[in-house]
Amino acid sequence: MKLPKTGVSIDKYLIKVESLHKKKYLNGEEIYMDNTYNPLENAQSIATIVKEPVKLSKRSKNIEIGDQVLVHHFATQEAKPVEYDDGNECNSFYFFLDVGMMYMCIKPDGSYKPVGPFCILTKESDEEVITASGIFTGETKRFEEGEGKVLVADESFIEGGGKVGDTVMFKKGIDYDIDMPGGNTVYRVRTNFIYGIING
């Protein structure tokens, strides 16, 4: 039985994904990835909001219908797809998902909003040390595993004196990588695991 267009969930969002596995890009071109060896590594992490839950307490004030959200890897791996009458024969997949499995919202204008008690970070890559005259010294400037720059900040981080753009320190091994639309990688970190701001 298909969920009709008028159907709703009491406590979960209805989300849509175009593929059960995330897309990979090389020089801006989508490439095929064999996901059989590690399905969670290649699990889809970007979804579009189709319907809101009826219960207001189960909604995020930062999420609206039509927004894209970054979701937990398990969202399309452990849940069963929902048959939804979307009015056409597209190849999309639909799932009911709790707001607690969502970490960040991407608005249609490209702006970001936090969802839940998380900050979204970017990380610097290791760099070869080159002198002002262009000579490679043989050294590499390495960035610590537990460091990142805040891309999206939740309210508690801001209330604690932090802001978007800060470089922060956090407990090693607790960050969670998520692919953004277009292939860039960001990292979800619980705000209460961030213990210091290096610079702002």
Side-chain angles (χ1 to χ4, degrees):
M1 178 178 176
K2 285 187 177 181
L3 179 73
K5 278 200 167 185
T6 55
V8 294
S9 171
I10 294 173
D11 58 0
K12 291 179 173 57
Y13 284 89
L14 180 66
I15 64 168
K16 177 178 74 172
V17 296
E18 304 301 333
S19 168
L20 297 180
H21 299 281
K22 63 188 177 185
K23 297 179 179 180
K24 290 286 188 179
Y25 296 86
L26 180 64
N27 298 324
E29 295 292 326
E30 184 182 340
I31 59 174
Y32 171 77
M33 294 290 293
D34 181 1
N35 53 54
T36 56
Y37 72 98
N38 190 351
L40 292 184
E41 172 64 21
N42 291 307
Q44 181 59 262
S45 57
I46 302 166
T48 301
I49 299 295
V50 177
K51 287 181 178 286
E52 297 175 313
V54 173
K55 276 189 178 179
L56 296 180
S57 62
K58 296 297 183 178
R59 298 182 186 181
S60 166
K61 66 180 182 181
N62 288 334
I63 297 178
E64 299 175 327
I65 293 173
D67 290 343
Q68 285 189 309
V69 287
L70 300 190
V71 301
H72 194 287
H73 289 80
F74 292 150
T76 60
Q77 296 296 304
E78 295 188 340
K80 182 179 179 181
V82 175
E83 288 193 57
Y84 176 63
D85 185 6
D86 60 6
N88 58 60
E89 297 300 322
C90 67
N91 294 320
S92 299
F93 301 89
Y94 296 87
F95 297 86
F96 281 128
L97 193 65
D98 187 271
V99 69
M101 298 279 278
M102 305 177 193
Y103 308 126
M104 173 178 145
C105 177
I106 305 174
K107 296 293 182 180
D109 65 2
S111 62
Y112 306 134
K113 295 288 185 180
V115 179
F118 306 104
C119 285
I120 306 299
L121 312 178
T122 59
K123 290 185 180 180
E124 299 286 350
S125 301
D126 293 344
E127 297 177 351
E128 295 179 340
V129 179
I130 299 176
T131 66
S133 59
I135 299 173
F136 172 51
T137 65
E139 301 175 48
T140 301
K141 179 181 178 183
R142 298 194 178 277
F143 290 87
E144 292 295 327
E145 177 189 342
E147 289 184 12
K149 182 175 286 189
V150 178
L151 176 68
V152 179
D154 85 324
E155 290 180 2
S156 62
F157 181 73
I158 294 172
E159 290 170 357
K163 63 183 183 300
V164 171
D166 285 348
T167 299
V168 297
M169 297 180 292
F170 54 90
K171 292 173 66 174
K172 293 183 179 180
I174 53 82
D175 53 324
Y176 176 115
D177 64 294
I178 307 177
D179 282 359
M180 295 275 281
N184 292 330
T185 301
V186 295
Y187 299 84
R188 182 222 73 176
V189 174
R190 286 190 177 274
T191 304
N192 61 348
F193 287 156
I194 294 174
Y195 60 81
I197 298 176
I198 300 172
N199 58 64

